[in-house]
Amino acid sequence: MRMVGGHACLDFVNTVDARRDVWGPDLLQTYADLVVWAGRADLIDVDEARAPLAEASARPLLAEAALEKAKILREAVYAALQAEAAGARVPDDALQIVRDAVALALPKRSLFPSGDRLAWQWTDAASLNTIGHRVAFETAEFLVSRNDRRRVRECTGPNCGWLFIDTSRGGRRRWCSDESCGTRSRVRRFRAKAAGNMAPNSKN
């Protein structure tokens, strides 16, 4: 699971390996995959992860339902962020799914002492839906913080379509990763050019 989006909600939609000509494969095959991803995205720590994993082991059908709910949210988040990348309005159906998920997530956060300060903490750490709640909250924060300087892009690599924040100086980044899609795109162009140079001259 490569983390190249620049934000948790972008990395979440990128858990589908390809979204252009061929969709998939889906990198979230099990509830444990979802927990692993959330750990890499810093949405849940090792200690917090133990409770939902234990719950998933004890209640596999509920864990499967929670995973499916998270995937429905993922596709709505993808639609919302793809719209931003295209400079378009967020589709109403996607917005409603995100809105409903946020409404369920908000009551699961509360203020707790943290040293001499207060900090937000999740109160549903043992819930199978805790990761979905955290993704919903992060997505809402990301969407409402949109400004003219932020550039969400869609990777132009062959059969990719991953989304990422373009922080390059010129704002012209094309690929989710120069090492993966960038390299493949350059190799593809080189081979196409080489094949063209080797083709017989049609005038002969």
Side-chain angles (χ1 to χ4, degrees), residues 163-195:
L163 301 179
F164 60 90
I165 301 174
D166 180 4
T167 57
S168 64
R169 179 173 298 181
R172 296 180 179 179
R173 180 177 158 193
R174 298 175 54 197
W175 304 301
C176 61
S177 169
D178 189 65
E179 291 76 15
S180 56
C181 284
T183 297
R184 285 195 291 269
S185 294
R186 287 189 290 271
V187 169
R188 199 174 187 178
R189 288 199 304 271
F190 174 80
R191 288 176 176 172
K193 184 177 180 180

Short mmCIF file of all heavy atoms in Angstrom, two decimals, residues 163-195:
data_model
loop_
_atom_site.label_atom_id
_atom_site.label_comp_id
_atom_site.label_asym_id
_atom_site.label_seq_id
_atom_site.Cartn_x
_atom_site.Cartn_y
_atom_site.Cartn_z
N LEU A 163 -5.15 9.75 -6.99
CA LEU A 163 -5.24 11.17 -6.69
C LEU A 163 -4.14 11.57 -5.72
O LEU A 163 -3.73 10.78 -4.85
CB LEU A 163 -6.61 11.49 -6.07
CG LEU A 163 -7.82 11.14 -6.94
CD1 LEU A 163 -9.12 11.47 -6.19
CD2 LEU A 163 -7.78 11.85 -8.27
N PHE A 164 -3.67 12.80 -5.86
CA PHE A 164 -2.59 13.28 -4.99
C PHE A 164 -2.61 14.80 -4.95
O PHE A 164 -3.20 15.46 -5.82
CB PHE A 164 -1.22 12.80 -5.50
CG PHE A 164 -0.89 13.26 -6.90
CD1 PHE A 164 -0.22 14.45 -7.12
CD2 PHE A 164 -1.27 12.50 -8.00
CE1 PHE A 164 0.08 14.89 -8.41
CE2 PHE A 164 -0.97 12.93 -9.29
CZ PHE A 164 -0.30 14.12 -9.50
N ILE A 165 -1.98 15.36 -3.92
CA ILE A 165 -1.81 16.80 -3.82
C ILE A 165 -0.51 17.18 -4.51
O ILE A 165 0.56 16.66 -4.18
CB ILE A 165 -1.76 17.26 -2.34
CG1 ILE A 165 -3.04 16.87 -1.62
CG2 ILE A 165 -1.56 18.77 -2.27
CD1 ILE A 165 -3.00 17.16 -0.12
N ASP A 166 -0.62 18.06 -5.49
CA ASP A 166 0.55 18.52 -6.23
C ASP A 166 1.21 19.66 -5.47
O ASP A 166 0.69 20.77 -5.41
CB ASP A 166 0.11 18.98 -7.63
CG ASP A 166 1.29 19.47 -8.46
OD1 ASP A 166 2.44 19.39 -7.99
OD2 ASP A 166 1.04 19.94 -9.59
N THR A 167 2.34 19.36 -4.88
CA THR A 167 3.08 20.39 -4.13
C THR A 167 4.34 20.83 -4.89
O THR A 167 5.18 21.51 -4.31
CB THR A 167 3.49 19.85 -2.75
OG1 THR A 167 4.27 18.65 -2.91
CG2 THR A 167 2.26 19.52 -1.90
N SER A 168 4.44 20.45 -6.15
CA SER A 168 5.61 20.84 -6.93
C SER A 168 5.63 22.34 -7.14
O SER A 168 4.59 23.01 -7.13
CB SER A 168 5.61 20.13 -8.28
OG SER A 168 4.50 20.52 -9.07
N ARG A 169 6.81 22.88 -7.33
CA ARG A 169 6.96 24.33 -7.43
C ARG A 169 6.17 24.89 -8.62
O ARG A 169 5.52 25.92 -8.51
CB ARG A 169 8.44 24.68 -7.58
CG ARG A 169 8.70 26.18 -7.71
CD ARG A 169 10.18 26.49 -7.70
NE ARG A 169 10.80 26.10 -6.44
CZ ARG A 169 12.10 26.27 -6.16
NH1 ARG A 169 12.90 26.81 -7.07
NH2 ARG A 169 12.59 25.90 -4.99
N GLY A 170 6.21 24.21 -9.75
CA GLY A 170 5.51 24.72 -10.92
C GLY A 170 4.06 24.29 -11.01
O GLY A 170 3.32 24.78 -11.86
N GLY A 171 3.65 23.37 -10.12
CA GLY A 171 2.27 22.91 -10.14
C GLY A 171 1.94 22.08 -11.37
O GLY A 171 0.80 22.07 -11.83
N ARG A 172 2.95 21.37 -11.89
CA ARG A 172 2.73 20.60 -13.11
C ARG A 172 3.02 19.11 -12.94
O ARG A 172 3.28 18.40 -13.91
CB ARG A 172 3.61 21.15 -14.24
CG ARG A 172 3.26 22.59 -14.61
CD ARG A 172 4.16 23.09 -15.72
NE ARG A 172 3.81 24.46 -16.09
CZ ARG A 172 4.45 25.17 -17.02
NH1 ARG A 172 5.46 24.62 -17.67
NH2 ARG A 172 4.08 26.40 -17.30
N ARG A 173 2.96 18.64 -11.72
CA ARG A 173 3.19 17.23 -11.47
C ARG A 173 2.11 16.40 -12.15
O ARG A 173 0.92 16.69 -12.02
CB ARG A 173 3.22 16.97 -9.97
CG ARG A 173 3.46 15.52 -9.57
CD ARG A 173 3.54 15.41 -8.07
NE ARG A 173 3.25 14.06 -7.60
CZ ARG A 173 3.00 13.75 -6.34
NH1 ARG A 173 3.00 14.70 -5.42
NH2 ARG A 173 2.74 12.50 -5.99
N ARG A 174 2.49 15.34 -12.84
CA ARG A 174 1.55 14.53 -13.62
C ARG A 174 1.30 13.16 -13.01
O ARG A 174 0.27 12.56 -13.28
CB ARG A 174 2.08 14.35 -15.04
CG ARG A 174 2.23 15.64 -15.83
CD ARG A 174 2.87 15.37 -17.18
NE ARG A 174 2.14 14.36 -17.92
CZ ARG A 174 2.64 13.69 -18.97
NH1 ARG A 174 3.87 13.91 -19.36
NH2 ARG A 174 1.89 12.79 -19.59
N TRP A 175 2.27 12.65 -12.25
CA TRP A 175 2.19 11.28 -11.80
C TRP A 175 2.09 11.19 -10.28
O TRP A 175 2.63 12.02 -9.56
CB TRP A 175 3.42 10.51 -12.26
CG TRP A 175 3.62 10.55 -13.74
CD1 TRP A 175 2.74 10.12 -14.70
CD2 TRP A 175 4.75 11.06 -14.46
NE1 TRP A 175 3.25 10.32 -15.95
CE2 TRP A 175 4.49 10.89 -15.84
CE3 TRP A 175 5.96 11.64 -14.06
CZ2 TRP A 175 5.40 11.27 -16.82
CZ3 TRP A 175 6.86 12.02 -15.04
CH2 TRP A 175 6.57 11.83 -16.40
N CYS A 176 1.43 10.13 -9.82
CA CYS A 176 1.34 9.91 -8.37
C CYS A 176 2.72 9.67 -7.80
O CYS A 176 3.01 10.05 -6.68
CB CYS A 176 0.40 8.73 -8.08
SG CYS A 176 0.94 7.14 -8.79
N SER A 177 3.58 9.03 -8.59
CA SER A 177 4.95 8.75 -8.16
C SER A 177 5.85 8.71 -9.39
O SER A 177 5.55 8.01 -10.36
CB SER A 177 5.03 7.40 -7.44
OG SER A 177 6.37 7.01 -7.24
N ASP A 178 6.92 9.46 -9.33
CA ASP A 178 7.86 9.46 -10.46
C ASP A 178 8.53 8.10 -10.61
O ASP A 178 8.85 7.68 -11.73
CB ASP A 178 8.92 10.55 -10.25
CG ASP A 178 9.78 10.74 -11.48
OD1 ASP A 178 9.24 11.17 -12.52
OD2 ASP A 178 10.99 10.46 -11.40
N GLU A 179 8.71 7.39 -9.48
CA GLU A 179 9.40 6.11 -9.52
C GLU A 179 8.53 5.01 -10.13
O GLU A 179 9.05 4.03 -10.66
CB GLU A 179 9.83 5.68 -8.11
CG GLU A 179 10.94 6.52 -7.51
CD GLU A 179 10.44 7.88 -7.02
OE1 GLU A 179 9.21 8.05 -6.90
OE2 GLU A 179 11.27 8.76 -6.79
N SER A 180 7.20 5.14 -10.05
CA SER A 180 6.33 4.09 -10.58
C SER A 180 5.70 4.53 -11.89
O SER A 180 6.17 4.20 -12.97
CB SER A 180 5.27 3.71 -9.55
OG SER A 180 4.52 4.87 -9.15
N CYS A 181 4.63 5.32 -11.82
CA CYS A 181 3.93 5.73 -13.03
C CYS A 181 4.80 6.61 -13.93
O CYS A 181 4.72 6.52 -15.16
CB CYS A 181 2.64 6.47 -12.67
SG CYS A 181 1.33 5.36 -12.11
N GLY A 182 5.63 7.45 -13.35
CA GLY A 182 6.50 8.29 -14.15
C GLY A 182 7.47 7.46 -14.98
O GLY A 182 7.64 7.69 -16.18
N THR A 183 8.09 6.48 -14.33
CA THR A 183 9.03 5.61 -15.05
C THR A 183 8.32 4.81 -16.13
O THR A 183 8.81 4.70 -17.26
CB THR A 183 9.72 4.65 -14.07
OG1 THR A 183 10.48 5.42 -13.13
CG2 THR A 183 10.63 3.68 -14.79
N ARG A 184 7.15 4.24 -15.80
CA ARG A 184 6.41 3.45 -16.79
C ARG A 184 6.00 4.30 -17.99
O ARG A 184 6.04 3.85 -19.14
CB ARG A 184 5.19 2.81 -16.15
CG ARG A 184 5.52 1.62 -15.25
CD ARG A 184 4.30 0.81 -14.93
NE ARG A 184 3.38 1.53 -14.07
CZ ARG A 184 3.39 1.46 -12.75
NH1 ARG A 184 4.31 0.73 -12.13
NH2 ARG A 184 2.52 2.13 -12.02
N SER A 185 5.59 5.54 -17.73
CA SER A 185 5.19 6.43 -18.82
C SER A 185 6.36 6.75 -19.74
O SER A 185 6.23 6.75 -20.97
CB SER A 185 4.59 7.72 -18.26
OG SER A 185 3.39 7.47 -17.57
N ARG A 186 7.53 7.01 -19.14
CA ARG A 186 8.71 7.31 -19.96
C ARG A 186 9.15 6.10 -20.79
O ARG A 186 9.51 6.23 -21.96
CB ARG A 186 9.85 7.81 -19.06
CG ARG A 186 9.63 9.21 -18.51
CD ARG A 186 10.88 9.73 -17.83
NE ARG A 186 11.14 9.03 -16.59
CZ ARG A 186 10.65 9.39 -15.40
NH1 ARG A 186 9.86 10.46 -15.30
NH2 ARG A 186 10.95 8.71 -14.30
N VAL A 187 9.10 4.91 -20.18
CA VAL A 187 9.46 3.69 -20.90
C VAL A 187 8.49 3.45 -22.05
O VAL A 187 8.90 3.08 -23.17
CB VAL A 187 9.48 2.48 -19.95
CG1 VAL A 187 9.58 1.17 -20.73
CG2 VAL A 187 10.62 2.60 -18.95
N ARG A 188 7.22 3.70 -21.79
CA ARG A 188 6.20 3.51 -22.83
C ARG A 188 6.45 4.44 -24.01
O ARG A 188 6.37 4.03 -25.17
CB ARG A 188 4.82 3.75 -22.21
CG ARG A 188 3.67 3.17 -23.00
CD ARG A 188 2.39 3.35 -22.21
NE ARG A 188 1.27 2.68 -22.82
CZ ARG A 188 0.05 2.66 -22.30
NH1 ARG A 188 -0.19 3.28 -21.16
NH2 ARG A 188 -0.92 2.03 -22.93
N ARG A 189 6.75 5.71 -23.72
CA ARG A 189 7.01 6.67 -24.80
C ARG A 189 8.28 6.30 -25.57
O ARG A 189 8.32 6.42 -26.79
CB ARG A 189 7.15 8.09 -24.22
CG ARG A 189 5.84 8.69 -23.75
CD ARG A 189 5.97 10.20 -23.63
NE ARG A 189 7.05 10.60 -22.75
CZ ARG A 189 6.92 10.77 -21.45
NH1 ARG A 189 5.75 10.56 -20.87
NH2 ARG A 189 7.96 11.15 -20.71
N PHE A 190 9.30 5.85 -24.83
CA PHE A 190 10.55 5.46 -25.48
C PHE A 190 10.33 4.29 -26.44
O PHE A 190 10.83 4.30 -27.58
CB PHE A 190 11.59 5.09 -24.42
CG PHE A 190 12.86 4.55 -25.00
CD1 PHE A 190 13.84 5.41 -25.50
CD2 PHE A 190 13.09 3.17 -25.06
CE1 PHE A 190 15.01 4.91 -26.04
CE2 PHE A 190 14.26 2.67 -25.61
CZ PHE A 190 15.23 3.54 -26.10
N ARG A 191 9.58 3.30 -25.99
CA ARG A 191 9.33 2.13 -26.83
C ARG A 191 8.49 2.50 -28.05
O ARG A 191 8.73 1.98 -29.16
CB ARG A 191 8.63 1.04 -26.02
CG ARG A 191 9.55 0.38 -24.99
CD ARG A 191 8.82 -0.62 -24.15
NE ARG A 191 9.73 -1.33 -23.24
CZ ARG A 191 9.33 -2.15 -22.28
NH1 ARG A 191 8.03 -2.37 -22.09
NH2 ARG A 191 10.21 -2.74 -21.50
N ALA A 192 7.50 3.39 -27.85
CA ALA A 192 6.66 3.82 -28.97
C ALA A 192 7.50 4.57 -30.00
O ALA A 192 7.35 4.38 -31.21
CB ALA A 192 5.51 4.68 -28.47
N LYS A 193 8.40 5.42 -29.50
CA LYS A 193 9.27 6.19 -30.41
C LYS A 193 10.21 5.26 -31.15
O LYS A 193 10.45 5.41 -32.36
CB LYS A 193 10.05 7.22 -29.61
CG LYS A 193 10.91 8.13 -30.47
CD LYS A 193 11.60 9.18 -29.62
CE LYS A 193 12.47 10.09 -30.48
NZ LYS A 193 13.14 11.13 -29.66
N ALA A 194 10.77 4.28 -30.42
CA ALA A 194 11.68 3.33 -31.04
C ALA A 194 10.98 2.50 -32.11
O ALA A 194 11.53 2.25 -33.19
CB ALA A 194 12.29 2.42 -29.98
N ALA A 195 9.75 2.09 -31.81
CA ALA A 195 8.98 1.31 -32.78
C ALA A 195 8.69 2.14 -34.01
O ALA A 195 8.72 1.64 -35.15
CB ALA A 195 7.68 0.82 -32.14
#
